[in-house]
Amino acid sequence: MSKILVRSGGKLCGKVKISGSKNSALPILAATVLSEGESKILQVPNLSDIWVMCSLLESIGAEIGSDKGEIIISWEHIKSDVAPYELVSKMRGSFLLAGPLLARCGHTRISLPGGCPIGTRPVDLHLKGFAAMGADIAQGHGYIDISAEKLHGAKIYLDFPSVGATENIMMAACLADGETIIENVAAEPEIIDLAGFLNKMGAKITGAGSDTIKIEGVKSLKGIKHKVIPDRIEAGSFMAGIAITGGHALIENVIPSHIKPITAKLREMGVEIKEEKNFIEMDAGGQLNAADIKTLPFPGFPTDMQAPFTALMSVVEGTSVIVETVFENRFLHVAELSRMGAKIKIDGRTEVVEGGFPLTGAQVKATDLRGGAALVLAGLVAKGDTEIGDIEHIDRGYEDIVGKLQGLGADIQRI
Ligand code: UD1
């Protein structure tokens, strides 16, 4: 079993290039199910989650080729509409196949994704959307059967602006009869990227990025070429890493408007950040202050940045209060950070971080994807060796995190 070994190695300096967005690439790959012909997806990160989605697509009939960040997907015909437990259980994002398969085949049998360490993560909002569009839903033996000979347009209000539900319903609605209006939708940049991809394929979607999306159903969609957006969460994680070490670096291949809540928080803490069209320059060499955070759907502070910022707040002098409003159980990394000397108290969905106590290296375990990243960041400044286990969680979402941190001068290796 591989581990990551990190030693406190001074400030992160130099430059780092951000990869394509995992959370954009996953729904875009799923959306190719809706199309006929070949699609070429560029800037796809080399991550285990991406290969799980590709295996799923192959299992239902796609032919897939890949070369250095490009994935070519050809659809001759869909040979199965079943998404099996073995693959869906590896990654919750697999549930994004439900909408496209339902719309294209009139039926799908998809394994229920189940819980995950950060919360129960139900799919009720996805299913309510499909039902409003005329689908019958039956559940049994750990699977959901969703059927509709032909989906019809509907007016759908999401109780919570769920990213996955917005994407799934939007994809299904592309081939439905008539107009679908989804209100209280997620406005994340990944939603805009997916809508842009679908529109290039021939869909008629307006409003992505606002709280209401309208989709006029079309008869068919065609394969196209598309480059996914840069990964704002990877960028934010490197920003937290540069800040935690008091470093000075360029972060290339970012869209500054996508990372606004992160940039704003770091500036509030005393980090200097210059934004250019597709890169930012960060200088965290000055005194940094504690700050409070509340995670929210976009354009609020991303829940995916909560764990990396908890590591950062543990190091900065003063008390920070972090409130997690999106997921019910996203503090698993706290116990591991505490083993490294962080002073954090949890009360419900709130963490109180007493920063400024020196961290010490320890043997720790990545509890989930972003929690794993938090441990890597803590290791960059902890005295002695930090050995991180269960790093398959980290590999799900960070392309070559070790190589990229080494490029910024970190003393880190995979062992
Ligand atoms: C996506 C991201 C994930 C990010 C999250 C929130 C992908 C592949 N993953 O996950 O990295 O942390 O958005 O920004 O893009 N909920 C329900 N019922 C539903 C759906 C969601 O109650 O049917 C709840 C969830 O349990 C959670 C909240 O809504 O508490 C947000 O979840 P959602 O926005 O759906 O996250 P994902 O799409 O799963």
Side-chain angles (χ1 to χ4, degrees), residues 38-102:
E38 182 179 288
S39 284
K40 193 174 192 181
I41 319 296
L42 312 179
Q43 195 165 259
V44 180
N46 179 8
L47 299 170
S48 55
D49 271 12
I50 296 293
W51 302 120
V52 171
M53 179 57 86
C54 287
S55 301
L56 264 164
L57 295 174
E58 280 174 333
S59 77
I60 58 173
E63 275 188 26
I64 297 187
S66 69
D67 183 31
K68 295 192 198 99
E70 290 186 12
I71 293 191
I72 297 174
I73 307 188
S74 315
W75 289 103
E76 283 283 321
H77 63 278
I78 295 182
K79 66 174 193 219
S80 162
D81 57 15
V82 179
Y85 173 75
E86 298 73 55
L87 291 169
V88 176
S89 62
K90 285 192 181 164
M91 178 186 68
R92 284 189 52 86
S94 314
F95 202 74
L96 291 168
L97 276 174
L101 276 175
L102 171 64

Side-chain angles (χ1 to χ4, degrees), residues 278-296:
N278 59 359
F279 71 91
I280 61 163
E281 182 177 358
M282 265 186 72
D283 184 356
Q287 170 76 34
L288 300 191
N289 323 304
D292 296 338
I293 288 177
K294 188 175 193 177
T295 67
L296 286 167

Side-chain angles (χ1 to χ4, degrees), residues 21-24 26-27 49 91-96 118-128 158-167 186 188 190 232-233 296-298 302-305 324-330 349 369-370 396:
S21 162
K22 165 179 87 74
N23 288 352
S24 235
L26 287 174
D49 271 12
M91 178 186 68
R92 284 189 52 86
S94 314
F95 202 74
L96 291 168
I118 63 173
T120 49
R121 300 183 78 174
V123 288
D124 56 319
L125 300 174
H126 304 233
L127 299 180
K128 272 192 207 171
L158 297 181
D159 297 334
F160 183 89
S162 151
V163 173
T166 303
E167 292 169 341
E188 267 69 1
E190 294 77 22
R232 64 194 169 98
I233 303 302
L296 286 167
F298 192 84
T303 171
D304 286 346
M305 291 313 305
E324 171 59 60
T325 76
V326 180
F327 288 104
E328 76 247 37
N329 187 27
R330 210 171 190 178
R349 288 191 172 197
L369 167 54
R370 308 301 170 188
R396 287 186 41 222

Side-chain angles (χ1 to χ4, degrees), residues 337-342 357-363 378 381-386:
L337 285 173
S338 301
R339 299 189 58 247
M340 298 175 72
F357 294 93
L359 300 183
T360 52
Q363 284 176 307
V381 287
K383 196 159 180 253
D385 291 1
T386 299

